[in-house]
Amino acid sequence: MTPFKRVLYAFIGVMFVAGVITAYTFYRKVFAPNVILKHRAVEFIYIPTGSTFVDVLRILQKENLLRNSESFTWVAEQMDYKDNVKPGKYQVKSRMNNKELISLLRSGKQTPVKVTFNSVRTVEQLAGSVSKKIEADSVSIVSFFRDEYIQKSYGFTPQNSMSVLIPNTYEMYWNTSAKEFFDRMAKEYKKFWTDARKQKANEINLSQTEVSTLASIVEQETRKNDEKNMVAGVYMNRYIKGWKLEADPTLVFALGDFTVRRVLSVYKEIDSPYNTYMYTGLPPGPICIPSISSIDAVLNYSKHNYMFFCAKADFSGYHSFAKTYNDHLVNARRFQKALNRRGILG
């Protein structure tokens, strides 16, 4: 073999080895597992709106998810991820390689979150609960519900804006803003208020928000679905006759102390538009988010002659109904004695 061939073969050998090493290095960077999850098979990462690639890398490093940050950065450059960062909640699996991880983050295929709200009394309570599930913070949610100009564009007021909320469990993306949250609720609100429900509201001469407001009072008066229609009937009788509604739950709302177990006469002196002992008609808006059963109870309220009701002394959660004030006083005194026996003073 001539010296030239020896050199040629040696060169080819070196190039082959170099090629193998380069190919192996490329393979390792792209396809070798690079996600480390120590305690579970999957993990969730949250990429805030407006994040850059540097922010994403910092999040992954902070959570100790990457075995090799340099290889992740290199593959991100090759896949043009640095200019395609998408916010959201992403499910990262153990032993994912860089290609799999970056493909997921670049695609924007988030894992949805489930948002549920029940027994919420105020916008602040709602915001505190919802902001734990989505990116929007509680301040931005409260501001959106309280903004008069914004609410007017949706057909609401800051006082009745919670009428838009129909209790349920909703799937949405984590990077949901306050506006996007409200838009979703407005969409669900329109779906809920079918032509049949609108027709019933018209028949009882209440707007949709007024139905929700009265339903919120019914919601706080009784948890028994089978008597909600009866309770709604009492309030509709008072409303139609032009009486003050005199609903104890509105006093609690005006007071702002939801731990109250016994409504005292002194609460009736609170000067608030929510005090239905002081002012005739419905309060400016809901005193809680009413359940669907309470809304439908108002729309289908029982037609009867009862004007009063009082909690039963057996603390069953049910109520005694009366047509006259004297009969009501008998029921009320019986319940007050039961409260005294149990030491419930306020």
Side-chain angles (χ1 to χ4, degrees):
M1 182 180 297
T2 64
F4 174 76
K5 286 185 177 180
R6 289 194 190 97
V7 173
L8 178 62
Y9 289 153
F11 178 75
I12 292 174
V14 170
M15 292 301 294
F16 176 77
V17 172
V20 170
I21 293 174
T22 300
Y24 179 73
T25 302
F26 176 83
Y27 175 84
R28 290 284 303 172
K29 285 182 177 179
V30 178
F31 298 107
N34 197 36
V35 173
I36 305 171
L37 300 182
K38 295 181 179 179
H39 304 296
R40 60 188 70 181
V42 298
E43 188 72 74
F44 293 100
I45 62 170
Y46 299 83
I47 301 176
T49 299
S51 295
T52 64
F53 174 75
V54 173
D55 296 323
V56 175
L57 183 59
R58 188 179 296 116
I59 292 168
L60 293 170
Q61 291 173 331
K62 182 180 179 182
E63 299 297 327
N64 295 316
L65 299 180
L66 295 179
R67 178 177 286 141
N68 188 304
S69 297
E70 292 182 2
S71 66
F72 174 80
T73 301
W74 185 85
V75 176
E77 290 177 348
Q78 309 311 307
M79 297 181 66
D80 197 28
Y81 173 59
K82 288 190 173 184
D83 297 321
N84 289 281
V85 173
K86 294 180 174 66
K89 174 186 178 182
Y90 297 94
Q91 179 179 286
V92 178
K93 297 180 181 179
S94 183
R95 298 185 62 77
M96 290 180 80
N97 60 46
N98 286 325
K99 183 178 184 299
E100 292 171 329
L101 177 57
I102 294 168
S103 294
L104 170 66
L105 300 179
R106 193 177 186 279
S107 70
K109 292 181 180 178
Q110 302 182 49
T111 299
V113 297
K114 292 185 177 180
V115 178
T116 302
F117 40 83
N118 293 306
S119 303
V120 174
R121 302 298 302 269
T122 66
V123 172
E124 288 77 11
Q125 287 181 359
L126 170 77
S129 174
V130 172
S131 63
K132 293 177 182 178
K133 296 291 186 178
I134 64 175
E135 185 178 15
D137 60 28
S138 58
V139 173
S140 64
I141 295 173
V142 170
S143 296
F144 201 92
F145 274 79
R146 290 275 173 80
D147 189 290
E148 187 171 357
Y149 177 78
I150 290 175
Q151 289 306 318
K152 185 177 180 180
S153 70
Y154 287 91
F156 296 101
T157 67
Q159 292 74 31
N160 66 29
S161 57
M162 283 216 305
S163 299
V164 76
L165 301 164
I166 306 299
N168 209 332
T169 297
Y170 300 99
E171 271 197 358
M172 57 187 69
Y173 289 128
W174 172 78
N175 61 311
T176 296
S177 66
K179 181 182 185 307
E180 289 169 334
F181 172 73
F182 198 94
D183 285 342
R184 173 64 184 281
M185 294 302 98
K187 180 180 178 182
E188 299 294 337
Y189 178 82
K190 289 179 181 178
K191 286 167 55 178
F192 172 80
W193 279 98
T194 59
D195 289 341
R197 284 193 172 103
K198 289 179 183 177
Q199 178 61 32
K200 288 181 179 180
N202 288 333
E203 290 173 357
I204 63 175
N205 294 314
L206 293 179
S207 68
Q208 292 168 209
T209 54
E210 287 174 333
V211 169
S212 293
T213 298
L214 183 52
S216 72
I217 296 175
V218 173
E219 180 79 11
Q220 291 304 312
E221 287 286 15
T222 179
R223 301 300 186 196
K224 305 296 184 181
N225 289 339
D226 56 351
E227 76 164 7
K228 284 182 177 180
N229 300 68
M230 288 285 291
V231 172
V234 171
Y235 283 123
M236 283 302 299
N237 286 346
R238 294 179 183 177
Y239 184 79
I240 292 169
K241 289 179 178 292
W243 289 21
K244 292 174 183 175
L245 295 186
E246 296 190 348
D248 285 358
T250 65
L251 297 182
V252 175
F253 187 84
L255 180 66
D257 182 359
F258 303 124
T259 64
V260 169
R261 299 175 62 192
R262 183 171 185 173
V263 176
L264 305 177
S265 294
V266 66
Y267 300 158
K268 299 175 184 179
E269 304 304 318
I270 299 173
D271 191 358
S272 165
Y274 289 91
N275 183 346
T276 55
Y277 278 85
M278 184 173 290
Y279 295 100
T280 304
L282 292 165
I287 60 172
C288 71
I289 300 176
S291 63
I292 293 175
S293 62
S294 292
I295 294 173
D296 284 339
V298 172
L299 293 175
N300 301 280
Y301 72 89
S302 297
K303 308 300 191 296
H304 54 60
N305 295 321
Y306 294 118
M307 301 299 293
F308 307 93
F309 66 94
C310 177
K312 287 190 173 182
D314 61 3
F315 292 94
S316 63
Y318 284 97
H319 294 78
S320 298
F321 294 83
K323 296 177 181 178
T324 68
Y325 184 64
N326 286 336
D327 288 342
H328 171 64
L329 284 179
V330 173
N331 295 329
R333 286 169 184 151
R334 186 180 297 120
F335 180 63
Q336 288 164 2
K337 289 180 181 178
L339 288 174
N340 293 335
R341 284 195 298 271
R342 293 200 176 193
I344 301 175
L345 304 177

